[in-house]
Amino acid sequence: MTGAEPAPSPTSEVDTGVDVDLDLDVDVEVDGSLTGDELNTLFHAAWPGHRDTDFGPVLARSLLRVTARRAGRLVGYVNVVGDGGVHAFLLDTTVHPEERRRGLGVTLVRAAAEAARERGADWLHVDYEPHLTAFHERCGFRPTAAGLMALGDLAKDDSAKDDPMQERPVKDDPDGPRDG
């Protein structure tokens, strides 16, 4: 694509790789208007236990976001943040329970991937729980090894003995033991 060509619409160029039963009434848009109240309403419907959140800081730091609306009502959302380089991270993929099992989530993620690629990302990362593996594979992700640290746990444990940040030899560490 040259700079003079228009960018494809997120729905016309997205090949989800699955049978999609999206009604023509669902509008998928990259970086469309979005309010925190709309997100809280969607998250309350989709995520049990959601508490109202100020989404201003989240939206201000997004590389992009993709929304889906039916008759103007927000029914799907995904956020992408970037590292300022070639890595982008998929966050908060959410589809309203009444809209699930029709391919909307895959459509949102694929639109986000294409938009991230157009904005310079070479890699799209996502973390997910094991029961979501099949969904993410349908979106085009492949499993990789990754690490996760619960930062809230660091404040709970103040003993040096159990400090997860303290460097210690790790069995089978390819770099071998670390000297302090």
Side-chain angles (χ1 to χ4, degrees):
M1 175 184 299
T2 68
E5 296 173 10
S9 77
T11 53
S12 66
E13 296 291 322
V14 176
D15 175 15
T16 63
V18 297
D19 293 331
V20 176
D21 185 23
L22 286 179
D23 298 328
L24 297 177
D25 298 354
V26 176
D27 296 314
V28 176
E29 186 176 15
V30 175
D31 291 334
S33 64
L34 183 63
T35 69
D37 288 342
E38 290 178 304
L39 281 172
N40 278 310
T41 299
L42 175 62
F43 279 39
H44 278 296
W47 304 107
H50 172 74
R51 290 181 278 165
D52 281 349
T53 301
D54 176 6
F55 283 99
V58 172
L59 297 175
R61 289 173 177 82
S62 292
L63 174 65
L64 63 100
R65 62 186 175 271
V66 181
T67 57
R69 295 179 182 278
R70 180 184 297 283
R73 182 181 82 145
L74 184 67
V75 296
Y77 165 80
V78 67
N79 186 26
V80 177
V81 297
D83 69 347
V86 298
H87 296 272
F89 304 84
L90 189 72
L91 301 169
D92 298 331
T93 303
T94 304
V95 174
H96 193 284
E98 295 171 0
E99 302 287 337
R100 292 180 181 162
R101 306 278 182 226
R102 299 183 205 163
L104 180 56
V106 174
T107 298
L108 288 167
V109 171
R110 289 286 181 100
E114 179 62 21
R117 185 192 61 76
E118 290 173 358
R119 293 182 188 186
D122 290 334
W123 299 99
L124 184 59
H125 303 259
V126 65
D127 293 323
Y128 53 86
E129 295 177 4
H131 71 278
L132 295 171
T133 299
F135 167 77
H136 286 93
E137 287 176 348
R138 284 193 307 275
C139 292
F141 289 97
R142 63 175 194 245
T144 62
L148 179 65
M149 178 188 296
L151 299 178
D153 291 346
L154 293 177
K156 295 176 188 173
D157 184 9
D158 59 3
S159 72
K161 177 182 171 208
D162 296 326
D163 181 359
M165 298 303 289
Q166 183 179 357
E167 292 211 359
R168 292 186 294 264
V170 177
K171 184 177 180 179
D172 298 324
D173 184 342
D175 293 331
R178 290 174 175 59
D179 294 328

